[in-house]
Amino acid sequence: MKTVKKILRYTKSQMFFYILAMICAVISVGFTLYIPVPVGEAIDFMIGKGAVDFDKILSAVIKIAVSIGLTVVFQWLMTYSTNVISARAVRDLRSDVFKKLNTMPLSYLDKNARGDLISRVTNDAEAVGDGLTQVITQLFSGIVTIVGTLIFMMSINIGLALVVVILTPLSMLVAGIIGRLCAKSFRDQQELQGEISSYVEEIVGNQKVVKAFAYEQRGEQSFEKLNKKLFKVGLRAQFAGALANPCTRFVNNMVYAATGIIGALTVISAFMGRLTIGGLSCFLTYANQYTKPFNEVTGVLTQIQTALAAGERVFKVLEAESEPDDSDKLTLGEARGDIEFKDVSFSYTSDKKLIEGFSLKVGSGEQVAIVGPTGCGKTTLINLIMRFYEVDKGEILLDGVPTSEIRRDELRKQFGMVLQDSWLFSGTIMENLRYGNPDATDEEIINAAKLSYAHSFIRKMPNGYNTMINENAENLSAGQKQLLCIARAMALDPPMLILDEATSSIDTLTEIRVQKAFKKLMKGRTSFVVAHRLSTIRESDTILVMRDGNIVEQGAHEQLLKKRGFYYELYNSQFADS
């Protein structure tokens, strides 16, 4: 019920369509319930030899035809209104989930599969909408139908009406038992659909690696395991859900049969009051319509259960803890670039320590290189500076102000970042280069491209700067993608720079040129350069050599070589033959 209430909250703003749907439901059901009256009258007008009244039968047929026509019109209006309510609710729900993902800490996104999160925004939200449409439609028409048929049945014969009312709840009892039994299966089905979405996204998005390692067959086998598991769970869920409708129909048919028998006895012997054959026919029609809403609800039980399971998954995202609101924190102008780590400790998991008691002072305009073996904490330092992760202990200061007291967006605006993974979105090259600085002029963008040595290859593209980058930037080489990312950072013109393996996909000649461009860009700016290729950081003011989360050496390139320590070993491992 909690999930149902959460979903229905998204429909509250559509009160106009709620009222319209309810009015249409009342009118359409009213005409539907009126139809058996002229039908019963027509039957009574043709009972007995030579007692057929054609004029009155014709009048009854006209009433029936008009009622059917009006029923169709108002049912269409009701369906339109409920579809609008559902579609707008899903639109708002999907929008809220997307906004929520943008407020989530990086730790949450790192722990959850990307494909599964995408599935929650798309597939699960859509499933909620499908279920919502069914529920609202059945809710409006069902309530009016039940109330209306009760009134009509009691107006015909109170005794028979009580028989129907007493026996009908049996079908709801059966439906409730089946619903509880299959709820877990539907939850498992939605979870597995998320897993499959994640796996497909992973395999399709990395086809070059899949083919390079001849992983196609093993990938298919892994997919088949997931697919078969989903098939079994889905079959179990669908089978359990499909049982509800025939079971309740069986119970309702038994109720209908009992009502028919008792009604026939009433017609013959006035067992429960006086009743004509036409009246019995009319009553049985109402009895059937009375049970119809219960049958329809159980008929869409599968969709409803799927919607509830999907809703639980969506609301898990919406209710996850966001990054704390920091709108009341400090805002910054342009920072000078003094960075200080004070006794900083951090670990991704409590059972595995990474950085402990780390302290460092970086003056404005200094270039700091961070080197060390994989997993030593180089990129972690960058994550902490940018507040992608919060420190466990100690503090980081920017221009003497703890970064925890500065708004995240204000802090991150101070940095231009070029990462090892080159991310570009589907759009023109110009749009991608303007991503961090939407107010930059075309001239500024082109100048940034020239500085990063991207201008020459951009000019050779089919439409130059207006060339569309397709999904995953497959129409660009790895080096070209990285040059565009470097140009994007240059177009931002930030007071501080972070370069995390920024030249890893560039050939040696271009790397030399880009290093010259970086030198111009980094002049007067505090810069952090994470590097494995030590040739790129020889001119750094300070080189931090890290091992197991600690700085084991610190100094300029020549100083560290003279110490013949860990940096000396790293350097010689790369240049031993040079």
Side-chain angles (χ1 to χ4, degrees):
M1 283 302 294
K2 288 182 180 178
T3 303
V4 173
K5 289 178 181 177
K6 292 172 187 174
I7 293 172
L8 290 178
R9 278 204 299 266
Y10 279 87
T11 68
K12 285 184 178 179
S13 60
Q14 307 305 318
M15 195 54 64
F16 170 77
F17 287 101
Y18 262 122
I19 295 170
L20 180 61
M22 183 59 77
I23 292 171
C24 292
V26 170
I27 295 173
S28 65
V29 171
F31 280 113
T32 301
L33 297 180
Y34 172 71
I35 291 171
V37 174
V39 169
E41 290 174 352
I43 291 172
D44 286 335
F45 293 146
M46 62 179 72
I47 294 175
K49 186 177 180 180
V52 179
D53 191 331
F54 287 102
D55 290 336
K56 290 183 178 179
I57 291 172
L58 178 61
S59 175
V61 170
I62 292 171
K63 292 176 184 177
I64 293 168
V66 172
S67 298
I68 291 172
L70 291 172
T71 298
V72 170
V73 171
F74 285 102
Q75 278 183 342
W76 179 85
L77 282 172
M78 182 191 72
T79 303
Y80 172 77
S81 299
T82 55
N83 283 338
V84 169
I85 294 169
S86 174
R88 291 184 179 178
V90 172
R91 176 198 64 190
D92 295 341
L93 179 63
R94 188 176 283 132
S95 178
D96 283 354
V97 176
F98 185 78
K99 289 176 184 176
K100 179 71 176 185
L101 289 174
N102 283 327
T103 69
M104 303 298 276
L106 203 62
S107 56
Y108 180 88
L109 302 176
D110 287 343
K111 290 174 184 175
N112 289 272
R114 183 168 57 182
D116 183 57
L117 292 175
I118 292 171
S119 181
R120 297 187 194 213
V121 177
T122 53
N123 299 337
D124 290 335
E126 196 62 37
V128 169
D130 292 340
L132 190 59
T133 299
Q134 295 295 338
V135 169
I136 294 175
T137 302
Q138 305 308 329
L139 180 70
F140 286 156
S141 60
I143 291 173
V144 178
T145 298
I146 291 168
V147 173
T149 50
L150 271 175
I151 293 171
F152 275 92
M153 283 191 296
M154 287 187 173
S155 68
I156 296 170
N157 190 291
I158 294 176
L160 277 177
L162 291 174
V163 171
V164 174
V165 172
I166 291 169
L167 294 177
T168 300
L170 289 173
S171 66
M172 294 306 296
L173 179 64
V174 171
I177 292 170
I178 294 173
R180 283 193 293 273
L181 289 175
C182 64
K184 184 181 183 301
S185 295
F186 281 102
R187 282 196 296 270
D188 292 343
Q189 179 181 315
Q190 291 302 117
E191 292 289 343
L192 281 167
Q193 283 181 344
E195 281 187 43
I196 283 185
S197 294
S198 181
Y199 187 76
V200 170
E201 193 272 338
E202 182 180 273
I203 294 297
V204 173
N206 296 280
Q207 271 297 296
K208 287 182 181 178
V209 178
V210 171
K211 293 184 185 300
F213 286 90
Y215 191 78
E216 294 95 333
Q217 189 173 354
R218 286 175 290 165
E220 288 174 14
Q221 289 171 352
S222 298
F223 178 80
E224 279 303 311
K225 286 181 182 178
L226 280 173
N227 203 26
K228 285 179 181 177
K229 192 175 179 182
L230 176 60
F231 170 75
K232 289 178 181 178
V233 171
L235 186 64
R236 188 164 61 245
Q238 298 299 322
F239 177 77
L243 278 177
N245 191 252
C247 288
T248 53
R249 281 186 182 275
F250 174 77
V251 173
N252 288 332
N253 286 336
M254 295 299 291
V255 172
Y256 185 82
T259 306
I261 293 170
I262 296 171
L265 292 173
T266 302
V267 172
I268 296 169
S269 60
F271 173 61
M272 295 181 71
R274 295 188 60 80
L275 188 64
T276 66
I277 294 175
L280 176 60
S281 172
C282 183
F283 186 92
L284 289 174
T285 302
Y286 287 132
N288 190 48
Q289 288 180 329
Y290 177 77
T291 59
K292 188 179 177 182
F294 302 107
N295 288 335
E296 287 177 344
V297 169
T298 55
V300 296
L301 185 64
T302 297
Q303 276 185 296
I304 294 171
Q305 289 285 1
T306 300
L308 290 174
E312 286 180 13
R313 282 167 48 79
V314 171
F315 286 109
K316 276 183 182 178
V317 176
L318 287 172
E319 292 167 2
E321 190 173 349
S322 300
E323 286 185 321
D325 179 53
D326 63 353
S327 57
D328 59 338
K329 301 286 186 180
L330 298 174
T331 57
L332 296 175
E334 186 169 310
R336 294 193 311 275
D338 293 323
I339 301 282
E340 183 178 359
F341 290 79
K342 275 190 175 180
D343 195 29
V344 170
S345 295
F346 173 79
S347 62
Y348 290 105
T349 57
S350 57
D351 59 331
K352 187 177 180 181
K353 295 180 180 179
L354 182 58
I355 295 176
E356 290 189 335
F358 178 78
S359 296
L360 171 71
K361 281 188 178 182
V362 180
S364 175
E366 288 187 13
Q367 179 184 335
V368 178
I370 309 170
V371 302
T374 300
C376 68
K378 301 186 298 296
T379 301
T380 300
L381 282 181
I382 303 304
N383 288 337
L384 296 178
I385 292 171
M386 298 289 285
R387 288 188 67 195
F388 293 146
Y389 286 83
E390 300 290 351
V391 299
D392 297 332
K393 182 184 175 185
E395 60 182 1
I396 301 172
L397 294 91
L398 171 61
D399 295 344
V401 180
T403 56
S404 58
E405 296 179 10
I406 303 170
R407 285 176 50 171
R408 292 183 197 86
D409 58 343
E410 287 289 322
L411 173 67
R412 293 164 186 169
K413 282 179 185 177
Q414 306 299 320
F415 293 89
M417 290 190 73
V418 182
L419 305 176
Q420 185 174 3
D421 296 326
S422 305
W423 178 80
L424 299 167
F425 61 87
S426 296
T428 66
I429 289 176
M430 181 64 78
E431 289 169 344
N432 273 272
L433 297 184
R434 198 175 267 131
Y435 187 77
N437 186 6
D439 298 324
T441 64
D442 289 355
E443 186 179 346
E444 289 171 335
I445 295 295
I446 293 170
N447 186 52
K450 287 178 178 178
L451 284 172
S452 65
Y453 297 91
H455 179 68
S456 58
F457 86 78
I458 293 174
R459 282 189 306 145
K460 296 174 185 176
M461 300 294 284
N463 296 306
Y465 283 85
N466 292 318
T467 299
M468 288 294 296
I469 297 175
N470 61 23
E471 188 178 2
N472 296 323
E474 293 296 333
N475 56 337
L476 297 172
S477 70
Q480 288 174 332
K481 286 190 281 188
Q482 204 155 38
L483 286 173
L484 290 178
C485 290
I486 293 168
R488 182 170 60 193
M490 290 183 170
L492 185 61
D493 194 26
M496 292 176 284
L497 284 172
I498 292 174
L499 311 175
D500 190 348
E501 284 297 302
T503 58
S504 61
S505 299
I506 299 174
D507 62 84
T508 306
L509 179 60
T510 306
E511 181 183 325
I512 294 171
R513 293 174 177 171
V514 171
Q515 288 300 328
K516 290 179 181 178
F518 275 149
K519 192 172 182 179
K520 292 179 184 176
L521 184 65
M522 290 187 287
K523 188 175 181 180
R525 292 178 171 87
T526 306
S527 306
F528 291 86
V529 182
V530 176
H532 285 295
R533 292 159 66 173
L534 303 187
S535 61
T536 62
I537 49 91
R538 289 174 179 172
E539 296 183 12
S540 298
D541 296 305
T542 303
I543 298 173
L544 304 178
V545 186
M546 295 192 68
R547 178 189 271 176
D548 300 326
N550 296 306
I551 295 177
V552 295
E553 292 178 348
Q554 180 176 338
H557 173 70
E558 294 298 334
Q559 291 175 329
L560 293 173
L561 286 180
K562 288 177 182 178
K563 287 183 179 180
R564 301 179 73 84
F566 187 52
Y567 180 80
Y568 178 83
E569 292 177 17
L570 288 174
Y571 185 80
N572 279 290
S573 68
Q574 292 185 19
F575 300 100
D577 297 328
S578 60

